[in-house]
Amino acid sequence: MYRFVLRRLLSGVLLLFVITTVAYLLLYAGGGNIARRLVGPTASDAQVALKASQLGLDRPLPVQYWDWLTGALTGDLGRSWFNGQLVSAGVSSRLSVTLSLVLGAVIIAAVISVVIGVWAAVRRGWVDRVVQFVGVLGFAIPGFLIALGLVSLFALNLKWFKATGYVPITTSFGGWAATVTLPIIALSIGCIAAVVQQVRGSLIDALRQDYVRTLRARGLSFNRVVYRHVLRNAGGPALAVLAVQFIGLLGGAVIVEQIFALPGLGQITVAATGQGDIPVVMGVVVATAAIVVAVNLIIDLAQGWLNPKVRLS
Amino acid sequence: MAAVVAAVALSLTGCSAGGDSSSEQTSQTLTLGTLMAPKSFAAADSDFANVSPFYQAVYDTLLRMEPDGTLVPMLATEWTYNEDKTVLTLKLRDDVKFTDDTAFSADAAKQNLERFKAGTSADAQFLAALQTAEAVDATTLKLTLSAPDPAFLGYLSKDASFMQSPASFGNADIATNPVGSGPYVLDTAATVTGTSYTYKSNPDYWAKDLRHYDNLVLNVYPEQTSLLSAVKSGTLNGSLIDIAMIQEAEAAGYKNNAFEGNWVGLMLFDRAGTTNPALKDVRVRQALNYSFDTKSLLDAVNQGRGTPTTQVFPPSSDAYDESLDSRYPYDPAKAKALLAEAGYANGFNLQMPSTPLVNSSIFALITQQLKDVGVNVETIDAGNNFIADLLSAKYAASYMILEQQSDWQLINMKIAPNSAWNPYKYADPKVDELVKKVNVGSEDEQKSAAKELNKYIVEQAWFAPWYRPQNSFVTDAKTNVELQTGNVYPYIWSFTPAS
């Protein structure tokens, strides 16, 4: 197990290095005349040159990359070209917003999906059909429509929650809850729809296995068989889907953050990409790549814990 | 230039994200919505127009402009020009401290002006005429200009004279942590850069009667959906909003403070016919003016909110002449006749750029209206290079939304041969002569020359303006505001609690 973890960790770091290097070269090579954009079309050439040298863009690309890399290793990702903010500070403050949304949505989705998925797989019949139908519906309705509906009903009409804005959990828990509840619901619906189907499907498959019949024949209660044995076997695929959903939600959060005016990673990504604020885009790339690598690592470990066979491969 | 981009962004829809980290509000907090965040809080890199409130909260200016455009004392208590208007002497206050406890002085003012002129602000050319700045003593500042500039005093009430503590010039975090002497101090702990900016009172502020709120929160909403949600949920005391949102904002209890700050229409850049020979003939340019049904365009594009016009000068200007607005009524037959007279009976081809920043239906309307008189428009998608392409003389004519500034600023922005919005550098001796009079004449001469210049430009059809679109700044029942002449965003001193 120890070597397994180490191997995964090393390959994760290598992956991170490759992703960020490729991203850096692609972004900076295609950067265009950013200094001109920053000082405006009517600025003099001297102003453009001044801006370029302030940003260090007058140096060769390999030098710029080396500076960026050595800085990044010490946690210094530079400053935004557009608002002068430290990239590490900007990205980490926004990461906490996005992570509270995505983690909230994934946890809610995991709990609800397992409950509903087990119910549908065990009861079958009309319960199963209703779950399947609602699941397809939840999957088919775009997240932003759900978000807009939630805003107009629960925030603008009923005034139960905030329509826009974000309050950090450290400032006030109530305020935080009032600002993140609707976005989390909006994000979790599509996620629940996807995971329920997976839980239901793999549970039904597992219930058909011979060992279930054997265990039942030995006199174990149905509930005990389902919760102690079947769920553990069906858990692997469900966990994998949940991980994919988690990574997908990082992207899905972009639109939800826009609608609720939440200062999350999505918002900074859209703004930075639109402006060509490459240091910030790179910061976002580093953060998301690190999250994806970490999530995959955690899932691998969890799979290994659930199913010892994985550890050998 | 910032003003131009701001004007475009105002009428068009922004394209990135917005948000607000709202905390518990008291009646002493003013919360405003804006469309864009400032680039940098360093005074030498500052902009104005839409981002003016971000800076005004922390930086004082030498002069202050009242909502009606009158200049009044601020850090400078009095100012005088010499005979030929090239030496400006300002008397400065001696009781002002920056928030880092450095004292404000003539030397600090000199350093700030020099830095702004040499810096990377889009408005650095405001100080183009400034040759030398000299601190005669602690409270006397002498500015020497290379040539008279009637707009110079006005510039000293804007970003060009934001006063930052000289001790902070080298601060590593100056882009996000300003050090000024203004009414407020940026609360960096409660601020999310790019999204929401929280300001607290500056306890040592020297002009407390100008400050009407204890705290100020500026939220950025480049996304109209979330701005509308924020307005409808009552999060904001005031905001600049898109014309399409006015009805919903009014239904939510907001007051519509309407203003006309821009003009919309065609810029006919190539008056010498360099790239499109047809435009050399004044009759062709006049024909283009007759071709547009501006009233219907206004109804179709801006819900009829605005005023048709044929001139680029605003009604508040000395140059404005109401009678000129009926100079080119919609008359396609007349347009065709003029084209025929000019030798284009079969019409001609005209390339014009389009941009995704502008609703594509506008380009379809232009193409249609010009086709009716025989002009074949070829629209080329310039993407995000739209403004850069226009300013580099790539197109003979184009649709544009531009700000209507004060006379001298307007002349230097779109009429004078070296102005940015005269990309072909077109010059006309008569225009040059009138511009000179506006610059150095006596007050009466300036006024009559400006009027004559406007009439001449309209006769010569340098532009084909359609209308001045209405913009709106909405305020809630608790808040009063006075709109600012010559700026899309009201100045922060103009907001007061409704009693």
Side-chain angles (χ1 to χ4, degrees):
Chain A
M1 190 69 186
Y2 177 72
R3 289 192 58 184
F4 169 77
V5 173
L6 196 70
R7 213 167 54 228
R8 287 297 155 110
L9 212 56
L10 277 177
S11 69
V13 170
L14 186 69
L15 186 64
L16 204 56
F17 174 76
V18 172
I19 291 173
T20 51
T21 304
V22 170
Y24 190 97
L25 296 178
L26 287 175
L27 283 169
Y28 278 78
N33 196 347
I34 195 74
R36 163 61 67 186
R37 276 179 69 185
L38 280 167
V39 294
T42 56
S44 65
D45 290 344
Q47 271 186 298
V48 176
L50 178 62
K51 194 79 203 173
S53 91
Q54 280 174 3
L55 299 176
L57 292 172
D58 47 355
R59 301 167 306 156
L61 191 62
V63 175
Q64 292 184 45
Y65 174 67
W66 180 250
D67 262 24
W68 180 85
L69 186 68
T70 47
L73 288 174
T74 61
D76 175 11
L77 295 168
R79 280 181 187 273
S80 158
W81 288 346
F82 279 81
N83 58 34
Q85 195 187 21
L86 282 173
V87 172
S88 50
V91 170
S92 63
S93 82
R94 285 156 191 279
L95 194 59
S96 63
V97 177
T98 301
L99 283 183
S100 38
L101 297 188
V102 172
L103 280 176
V106 165
I107 291 168
I108 287 178
V111 172
I112 294 182
S113 306
V114 168
V115 171
I116 298 180
V118 170
W119 192 36
V122 174
R123 287 285 294 273
R124 304 299 298 267
W126 67 268
V127 171
D128 191 23
R129 281 195 292 277
V130 169
V131 166
Q132 292 223 53
F133 177 74
V134 175
V136 170
L137 207 65
F139 212 61
I141 301 176
F144 75 89
L145 270 186
I146 296 173
L148 287 174
L150 292 173
V151 172
S152 91
L153 181 60
F154 294 108
L156 297 180
N157 286 326
L158 297 172
K159 301 200 185 297
W160 290 354
F161 299 102
K162 291 271 194 184
T164 57
Y166 180 76
V167 177
I169 196 164
T170 46
T171 306
S172 133
F173 181 80
W176 176 78
T179 51
V180 298
T181 304
L182 293 182
I184 287 179
I185 294 174
L187 276 178
S188 62
I189 286 176
C191 187
I192 292 171
V195 182
V196 161
Q197 300 297 333
Q198 182 60 49
V199 171
R200 175 194 166 273
S202 42
L203 213 60
I204 287 172
D205 283 347
L207 283 170
R208 290 200 189 109
Q209 302 283 319
D210 291 342
Y211 75 87
V212 175
R213 212 175 326 128
T214 313
L215 288 171
R216 289 283 284 151
R218 282 191 183 170
L220 266 71
S221 78
F222 183 70
N223 280 348
R224 195 180 156 92
V225 172
V226 168
Y227 289 104
R228 285 294 294 273
H229 301 277
V230 176
L231 251 186
R232 185 161 173 163
N233 276 316
L239 214 53
V241 172
L242 213 56
V244 171
Q245 286 293 320
F246 179 92
I247 289 161
L249 282 185
L250 286 177
V254 173
I255 293 165
V256 169
E257 283 169 12
Q258 302 266 49
I259 290 170
F260 290 93
L262 296 170
L265 210 54
Q267 198 191 52
I268 202 177
T269 310
V270 171
T273 314
Q275 290 169 322
D277 197 345
I278 291 172
V280 175
V281 177
M282 272 311 295
V284 173
V285 168
V286 170
T288 38
I291 290 173
V292 171
V293 167
V295 166
N296 280 315
L297 187 67
I298 292 167
I299 292 301
D300 280 351
L301 298 182
Q303 300 273 32
W305 172 74
L306 280 171
N307 183 358
K309 275 186 283 180
V310 175
R311 282 176 243 164
L312 299 172
S313 56
Chain B
M1 187 57 221
V4 178
V5 177
V8 174
L10 175 67
S11 308
L12 320 173
T13 307
C15 53
S16 53
D20 54 319
S21 63
S22 43
S23 49
E24 286 306 301
Q25 287 172 16
T26 67
S27 58
Q28 300 307 309
T29 297
L30 177 67
T31 305
L32 300 175
T34 67
L35 302 170
M36 53 184 81
K39 278 181 195 162
S40 162
F41 272 108
D45 297 330
S46 57
D47 277 341
F48 213 62
N50 269 295
V51 289
S52 53
F54 291 92
Y55 296 104
Q56 286 176 333
V58 290
Y59 291 128
D60 287 324
T61 44
L62 294 177
L63 272 54
R64 185 168 66 85
M65 192 182 272
E66 295 271 23
D68 66 0
T70 314
L71 291 168
V72 295
M74 190 71 174
L75 292 179
T77 51
E78 51 189 279
W79 52 91
T80 46
Y81 267 120
N82 69 342
E83 187 77 4
D84 65 359
K85 296 187 177 174
T86 53
V87 178
L88 177 65
T89 309
L90 301 106
K91 277 283 173 200
L92 308 178
R93 302 188 69 94
D94 60 2
D95 58 349
V96 178
K97 263 197 326 189
F98 293 108
T99 52
D100 63 357
D101 274 348
T102 316
F104 169 71
S105 66
D107 187 56
K110 163 195 154 77
Q111 291 188 51
N112 271 289
L113 294 175
E114 285 171 349
R115 276 174 70 84
F116 189 85
K117 182 180 158 88
T120 56
S121 166
D123 292 332
Q125 81 275 6
F126 279 180
L127 298 185
L130 178 67
Q131 206 162 40
T132 56
E134 184 194 342
V136 178
D137 57 50
T139 58
T140 311
L141 179 68
K142 198 170 112 186
L143 304 178
T144 307
L145 308 186
S146 51
D149 182 347
F152 194 79
L153 286 174
Y155 294 146
L156 294 187
S157 72
K158 297 184 177 171
D159 45 346
S161 88
F162 282 144
M163 291 295 142
Q164 180 188 330
S165 165
S168 72
F169 284 157
N171 287 6
D173 65 347
I174 192 61
T176 50
N177 187 10
V179 185
S181 60
Y184 300 98
V185 181
L186 184 68
D187 181 356
T188 50
T191 291
V192 182
T193 302
T195 300
S196 176
Y197 296 75
T198 300
Y199 297 82
K200 291 194 289 213
S201 284
N202 170 7
D204 299 325
Y205 189 49
W206 59 276
K208 293 198 170 75
D209 53 330
L210 281 178
R211 181 174 62 200
H212 308 298
Y213 295 87
D214 293 338
N215 306 298
L216 173 70
V217 176
L218 299 173
N219 291 330
V220 187
Y221 303 90
E223 195 61 49
Q224 294 292 328
T225 320
S226 53
L227 174 56
L228 189 58
S229 291
V231 165
K232 283 163 83 176
S233 64
T235 306
L236 302 173
N237 299 117
S239 182
L240 207 55
I241 65 168
D242 196 89
I243 206 80
M245 290 162 42
I246 285 181
Q247 281 178 340
E248 284 189 85
E250 280 177 338
Y254 283 78
K255 186 178 160 210
N256 172 16
N257 306 282
F259 63 99
E260 295 175 353
N262 304 321
W263 68 272
V264 168
L266 294 193
M267 316 262 323
L268 308 178
F269 297 122
D270 192 10
R271 294 141 203 150
T274 317
T275 52
N276 194 320
L279 288 192
K280 187 178 195 315
D281 196 309
V282 65
R283 288 168 297 189
V284 170
R285 300 198 299 267
Q286 290 177 337
L288 294 177
N289 269 275
Y290 282 117
S291 308
F292 290 100
D293 184 357
T294 51
K295 182 75 183 64
S296 303
L297 282 169
L298 182 61
D299 288 342
V301 179
N302 219 46
Q303 303 182 354
R305 293 178 195 261
T307 315
T309 190
T310 58
Q311 48 198 325
V312 294
F313 286 90
S316 60
S317 149
D318 289 331
Y320 185 77
D321 180 348
E322 201 186 335
S323 68
L324 286 177
D325 277 342
S326 46
R327 174 65 183 85
Y328 301 108
Y330 176 50
D331 192 344
K334 177 113 189 179
K336 275 190 198 162
L338 280 167
L339 285 175
E341 256 181 64
Y344 297 97
N346 297 322
F348 67 96
N349 295 324
L350 183 60
Q351 278 191 346
M352 285 204 272
S354 69
T355 168
L357 299 173
V358 171
N359 188 335
S360 61
S361 64
I362 287 182
F363 300 107
L365 287 168
I366 293 172
T367 308
Q368 184 56 48
Q369 299 243 289
L370 290 182
K371 197 176 173 200
D372 289 349
V373 301
V375 178
N376 299 312
V377 172
E378 187 196 342
T379 311
I380 295 164
D381 185 2
N384 287 328
N385 288 330
F386 184 71
I387 288 176
D389 280 358
L390 294 187
L391 295 178
S392 58
K394 262 193 176 173
Y395 295 96
S398 171
Y399 168 85
M400 189 59 200
I401 303 166
L402 276 184
E403 193 190 2
Q404 296 191 310
Q405 311 96 321
S406 62
D407 292 356
W408 186 247
Q409 232 183 313
L410 192 151
I411 287 169
N412 279 295
M413 183 171 156
K414 32 193 141 158
I415 292 173
N418 57 354
S419 59
W421 288 95
N422 184 358
Y424 286 80
K425 307 298 167 208
Y426 181 70
D428 176 316
K430 171 120 187 188
V431 169
D432 290 349
E433 183 198 319
L434 290 169
V435 166
K436 195 163 179 206
K437 272 191 197 159
V438 175
N439 187 0
V440 294
S442 69
E443 206 166 309
D444 286 344
E445 281 171 341
Q446 287 182 341
K447 281 181 187 170
S448 66
K451 245 194 178 67
E452 207 182 326
L453 175 68
N454 186 16
K455 189 170 163 57
Y456 184 73
I457 297 289
V458 172
E459 277 308 316
Q460 288 291 308
W462 275 34
F463 307 92
W466 301 343
Y467 51 78
R468 294 187 300 273
Q470 216 178 67
N471 294 122
S472 175
F473 195 95
V474 294
T475 41
D476 68 358
K478 288 184 289 190
T479 313
N480 289 335
V481 72
E482 268 190 279
L483 298 174
Q484 185 73 27
T485 306
N487 202 54
V488 292
Y489 213 94
Y491 287 177
I492 58 164
W493 316 287
S494 306
F495 291 91
T496 45
S499 48

